[in-house]
Amino acid sequence: MKKIYFAIIALAGCVLLTQCKDYLAVTSPAQLNDEFVTSTVSETFKTLANCYDILTGVSGGGNYNWNDPVSDAEYYPEGNSGNCRTGVLQPTATKADERKGQSDNLYQVISRVSRVADLIAQKEEFKKAAEAGQVNDWTQLYGECKTMYCYCYLQLVYHFGDVPFGTENSLVPEDIALTSRFDILDSLIKILEENEKYMYDLGQGGIGAERMSRTFANVLIGECAVNAAGWQTIREDVSGLYGNLAFETKYKVDNKYSYSRRSDYKTYYQKAQTYFRKALAERKGTLSFITKDERSYANNPYQRGFQYLHDFELSPESIWENSSYATRQSERPYSQGRPSNGGNSNGAPCKVFAGCRITPTFYYTGWEDGDKRWDVTAVITGSDGKGNEQIINFTSGSRTNGGIACNKWDVNKMREPYVVAPRKEGMNYVISRMSNVMIMLAEADAMIGENTECLSLLNQLRDRAFGDENHRLSGLSGDALVDAVVMEAKRELSGEGYVKWTELRCGVFPELAKQLRADIKALQEGIKKNGFYDFGNGRVMPAYIWTKSVKLDNPLTYDRDESNPALTPGWRGVYDYTKIAAVASVVTGTNHNIAVKGLFEYIAPDSDEAKALEADGYVKTNWAIDMIDEKNSGLWDYNMLSGIENTMVPLHYHPLSAETIKQSNGNITNGYDLPQV
């Protein structure tokens, strides 16, 4: 069972440390003294646990990880919403303080773990172990602090670009300025390389996936390296910011910003290879890639990895899971999971907002027949909150409005769903798992021409996805291999917050964003003209589908069964909420499942086939027709990466806060045409 250790936070974490309203106001926390905080390993961990808790609300929280990772495979369901300005590449419409809370909290954690590491370094128990080259609980805590420090700075680089660096626990200098992200990443790599030796591998010393291990530290080195190496949007308006670095540039806007990569990128991809390989081999500890499904009722090793979260167990594929427990705010499944129209208390299940959706173009073209990741990733039904399955629609909104949803986190799949209130289910938030590391290593391989390992990694994912070796890739190199990496990232990682960054680093994001917009327009035109759109791959998206409520012995469905329209697509249905006394009275009806006809083919509304279906109890139901309704135009225009129409340079960073700009005395401004106030 998963260790829910955050219960100890209330004992110490929030009272031991100074509260920082803005990182630029942070001074050395005098209350953090060795006698009180680091007297024992357990007391020290209480302090560190508070930092983990803060990160749960930052890196693992909010509606889809700050709404940033919108791609050609994923989108936000509320049209024209202020929640996803940056995600759709329209950050100039935001305000400078729109993500101040997240950045402040990251700097707060940076300050705290820096001080704790300094205190641990003074302890004799640490010094003796370090000198002897031994790992013990004190060295683990020290390495954990250093790793968390680096993780927080990497998050700042992801979301803000170039930021102030190294001012924690000191008076703010008058000449504080931006630090080049490349210098920051170099520093993080150095810190991690110097300190990962102090940590236990995953599974050693009682360190499971709910804490940062040496395995995770190795992954983090690789992740810093690929983000130094890859294509990215950089500033051109701050003289000398990047020193003497030379860049290759794809797109540039005046002297303001460009989409570029450093010319020595291969050196960093080689560094990434070294540490990703370590994390997957000599440093993997108990990490294990799931290739078999032991369950009698299902055969989907890919879904098995996610089911551990629903069962409150640690997945053997997880390198770091941000821990959670029931009754505290939990963003999965609420923000990224399968939707529910339930209310705010005692629902079957309660409300699930579902802020991450799968683009219809990717749903219909992204997965090959037989790919077990398809139904697990994307779902066409949600819950009505009354114990019944409900079809999703393509109108702007949330819950069962908004389009095809992410299916990796679903209240219905919990061992026993939490029904008291929404957003408190207690499901862990996986920050790092094996598949993402394999994809990043494959990216590094493709970028420097190591084709054999790249294809091997992609084929391991594909072998699991199809359950055989008949779908392997071969003979790819160059741009074709990079494209294969990106496509496999979308198939494997959609909804998890990684696809956009992979596409950006690989240099294909602007073109894919443009293509998405063109494909959505073509889809809409096809619906207007013909009542359907033919994707040319044997799948058709119709204006209407036919649905019927049916009764299944077990209303929660698993693997797809093409002979049964209530089981195709698979992995949907609902939990049997009549088994939960608190909400049994909420459940309505007895036919809790939905059978679907015409999802991938066109059935003419007045045809004999349609009439036969209606005679059998099926009802004509809106599907793609809602995409051409004018009231939903914002969703299918603005939310589809609309900022790419303004510039081919992806504008995806959040602004630094107005207070940061003010306290820098003119040394710091927001770039990328972002607001200053």
Side-chain angles (χ1 to χ4, degrees):
M1 290 293 291
K2 152 177 112 162
K3 298 177 182 176
I4 303 299
Y5 60 78
F6 282 130
I8 66 174
I9 294 170
L11 297 176
C14 59
V15 296
L16 295 179
L17 304 165
T18 54
Q19 184 68 30
C20 310
K21 293 183 178 180
D22 190 273
Y23 79 91
L24 286 175
V26 173
T27 57
S28 183
Q31 293 95 324
L32 273 178
N33 58 77
D34 184 51
E35 180 181 356
F36 189 43
V37 176
T38 63
S39 56
T40 66
V41 167
S42 61
E43 286 299 316
T44 303
F45 182 70
K46 289 177 184 178
T47 305
L48 195 57
N50 177 253
C51 295
Y52 275 113
D53 189 49
I54 295 172
L55 288 183
T56 301
V58 179
S59 60
N63 288 321
Y64 196 32
N65 195 15
W66 309 6
N67 308 116
D68 284 355
V70 179
S71 71
D72 62 320
E74 309 141 314
Y75 68 98
Y76 187 76
E78 295 179 316
N80 296 321
S81 172
N83 285 334
C84 69
R85 305 287 191 210
T86 299
V88 302
L89 311 180
Q90 299 276 8
T92 58
T94 65
K95 294 183 179 180
D97 286 344
E98 60 126 8
R99 287 296 180 261
K100 181 177 183 295
Q102 285 90 343
S103 61
D104 286 357
N105 284 341
L106 286 168
Y107 275 110
Q108 185 179 40
V109 172
I110 287 168
S111 177
R112 292 179 178 188
V113 296
S114 298
R115 179 59 176 152
V116 173
D118 289 345
L119 292 173
I120 294 173
Q122 299 168 21
K123 300 190 74 64
E124 287 302 315
E125 298 95 327
F126 171 81
K127 291 179 181 178
K128 289 179 181 178
E131 289 173 2
Q134 298 174 343
V135 177
N136 63 20
D137 290 349
W138 284 111
T139 66
Q140 164 64 32
L141 284 169
Y142 180 82
E144 219 165 335
C145 287
K146 293 293 187 180
T147 303
M148 194 176 294
Y149 173 97
C150 294
Y151 173 79
C152 290
Y153 265 120
L154 178 59
Q155 292 304 302
L156 288 165
V157 169
Y158 265 124
H159 298 289
F160 298 91
D162 310 292
V163 298
F165 178 71
T167 61
E168 59 275 355
N169 291 329
S170 62
L171 293 175
V172 179
E174 293 183 0
D175 59 347
I176 187 171
L178 293 178
T179 302
S180 159
R181 75 195 65 179
F182 301 104
D183 290 344
I184 293 173
L185 293 170
D186 281 346
S187 296
L188 302 184
I189 291 170
K190 185 173 186 292
I191 291 167
L192 289 164
E193 287 186 317
E194 290 174 348
N195 294 288
E196 53 95 22
K197 63 188 176 186
Y198 295 125
M199 304 174 75
Y200 293 116
D201 290 336
L202 186 64
Q204 293 180 344
I207 302 301
E210 288 180 312
R211 289 177 63 179
M212 294 182 179
S213 61
R214 186 175 187 180
T215 310
F216 177 70
N218 276 253
V219 169
L220 202 58
I221 296 171
E223 192 170 352
C224 289
V226 296
N227 281 287
W231 293 94
Q232 54 200 286
T233 299
I234 64 172
R235 296 183 67 164
E236 300 279 354
D237 61 329
V238 182
S239 178
L241 177 60
Y242 304 122
N244 296 321
L245 283 184
F247 293 95
E248 302 172 9
T249 296
K250 264 195 174 181
Y251 304 111
K252 184 174 180 179
V253 174
D254 301 325
N255 292 314
K256 295 193 291 186
Y257 41 78
S258 67
Y259 185 50
S260 304
R261 72 175 173 190
R262 55 191 304 162
S263 299
D264 60 349
Y265 69 94
K266 289 186 179 180
T267 301
Y268 286 86
Y269 273 127
Q270 288 166 344
K271 172 80 72 174
Q273 285 178 314
T274 297
Y275 283 95
F276 288 146
R277 288 168 181 164
K278 285 185 177 183
L280 295 173
E282 62 187 277
R283 298 265 70 89
K284 72 175 183 178
T286 54
L287 191 64
S288 176
F289 189 59
I290 302 170
T291 58
K292 301 291 184 183
D293 189 344
E294 82 287 358
R295 297 172 294 185
S296 61
Y297 59 87
N299 180 21
N300 194 318
Y302 179 72
Q303 195 281 332
R304 185 69 184 95
F306 295 99
Q307 189 61 44
Y308 282 102
L309 305 175
H310 296 76
D311 294 341
F312 297 121
E313 298 175 349
L314 296 177
S315 169
E317 289 190 5
S318 291
I319 300 167
W320 176 36
E321 296 183 10
N322 222 330
S323 183
S324 188
Y325 54 87
T327 74
R328 74 182 299 244
Q329 181 168 319
S330 176
E331 291 304 326
R332 285 185 174 159
Y334 180 83
S335 286
Q336 293 103 342
R338 187 175 172 217
S340 172
N341 279 354
N344 289 319
S345 63
N346 297 320
C350 293
K351 173 186 175 182
V352 175
F353 179 86
C356 171
R357 304 300 171 109
I358 305 300
T359 58
T361 48
F362 187 66
Y363 181 77
Y364 276 84
T365 66
W367 289 275
E368 302 159 62
D369 290 342
D371 192 328
K372 295 177 183 291
R373 296 171 294 189
W374 188 6
D375 293 344
V376 174
T377 301
V379 64
I380 63 165
T381 64
S383 304
D384 68 352
K386 300 177 182 179
N388 302 292
E389 193 173 14
Q390 182 167 320
I391 202 76
I392 286 170
N393 63 65
F394 289 92
T395 64
S396 175
S398 62
R399 296 185 269 191
T400 56
N401 297 330
I404 297 165
C406 184
N407 199 28
K408 292 179 175 177
W409 308 279
D410 178 10
V411 181
N412 293 286
K413 297 187 186 78
M414 295 177 71
R415 180 172 292 169
E416 182 172 314
Y418 185 79
V419 297
V420 179
R423 217 173 196 163
K424 296 182 182 297
E425 291 82 3
M427 197 180 295
N428 272 12
Y429 204 110
V430 178
I431 303 297
S432 180
R433 66 182 184 92
M434 281 192 76
S435 290
N436 190 33
V437 178
M438 294 166 73
I439 291 288
M440 287 192 290
L441 177 53
E443 172 192 332
D445 290 338
M447 286 299 186
I448 58 179
E450 295 197 16
N451 304 344
T452 301
E453 182 182 56
C454 180
L455 287 169
S456 174
L457 290 161
L458 299 183
N459 285 331
Q460 287 178 59
L461 298 173
R462 291 175 65 81
D463 288 353
R464 176 172 73 173
F466 291 97
D468 58 43
E469 298 179 359
N470 301 325
H471 297 80
R472 291 187 168 185
L473 305 174
S474 63
L476 300 176
S477 62
D479 291 344
L481 187 58
V482 173
D483 290 343
V485 170
V486 170
M487 180 57 78
E488 222 56 45
K490 287 188 281 192
R491 292 166 175 155
E492 186 78 19
L493 303 172
S494 284
E496 299 179 53
Y498 302 118
V499 171
K500 182 173 188 172
W501 310 120
T502 302
E503 293 180 344
L504 282 165
R505 290 193 305 264
C506 288
V508 298
F509 182 83
E511 292 78 13
L512 290 176
K514 279 279 192 184
Q515 189 63 53
L516 169 69
R517 292 183 58 76
D519 290 346
I520 291 292
K521 288 185 171 103
L523 170 57
Q524 290 174 309
E525 288 303 312
I527 299 300
K528 288 179 184 177
K529 181 179 179 181
N530 303 313
F532 65 88
Y533 183 76
D534 189 339
F535 287 95
N537 62 351
R539 297 175 192 156
V540 168
M541 185 175 188
Y544 301 96
I545 56 177
W546 273 256
T547 64
K548 179 172 73 169
S549 295
V550 297
K551 180 179 176 63
L552 297 177
D553 291 338
N554 181 3
L556 187 60
T557 68
Y558 304 106
D559 293 327
R560 177 184 293 213
D561 179 352
E562 297 283 358
S563 68
N564 189 337
L567 301 177
T568 304
W571 292 98
R572 47 189 182 97
V574 287
Y575 185 85
D576 185 356
Y577 289 95
T578 62
K579 295 180 178 179
I580 303 178
V583 295
S585 62
V586 174
V587 177
T588 61
T590 58
N591 296 341
H592 303 306
N593 294 88
I594 292 180
V596 181
K597 287 282 194 176
L599 186 63
F600 300 110
E601 60 182 342
Y602 176 62
I603 299 175
D606 295 324
S607 66
D608 291 342
E609 184 178 5
K611 291 175 183 177
L613 286 171
E614 290 163 7
D616 192 31
Y618 282 86
V619 176
K620 186 176 81 168
T621 304
N622 281 15
W623 193 237
I625 190 67
D626 288 329
M627 292 182 64
I628 63 174
D629 192 322
E630 189 60 32
K631 68 182 180 182
N632 301 314
S633 60
L635 176 59
W636 301 110
D637 183 14
Y638 187 85
N639 283 36
M640 298 294 109
L641 297 172
S642 57
I644 205 67
E645 298 293 339
N646 304 324
T647 171
M648 288 293 282
V649 179
L651 298 181
H652 61 89
Y653 293 119
H654 294 284
L656 298 168
S657 71
E659 188 171 355
T660 300
I661 294 170
K662 178 181 177 182
Q663 292 195 36
S664 75
N665 295 317
N667 290 322
I668 295 176
T669 60
N670 276 317
Y672 320 108
D673 293 323
L674 290 168
Q676 309 299 325
V677 294

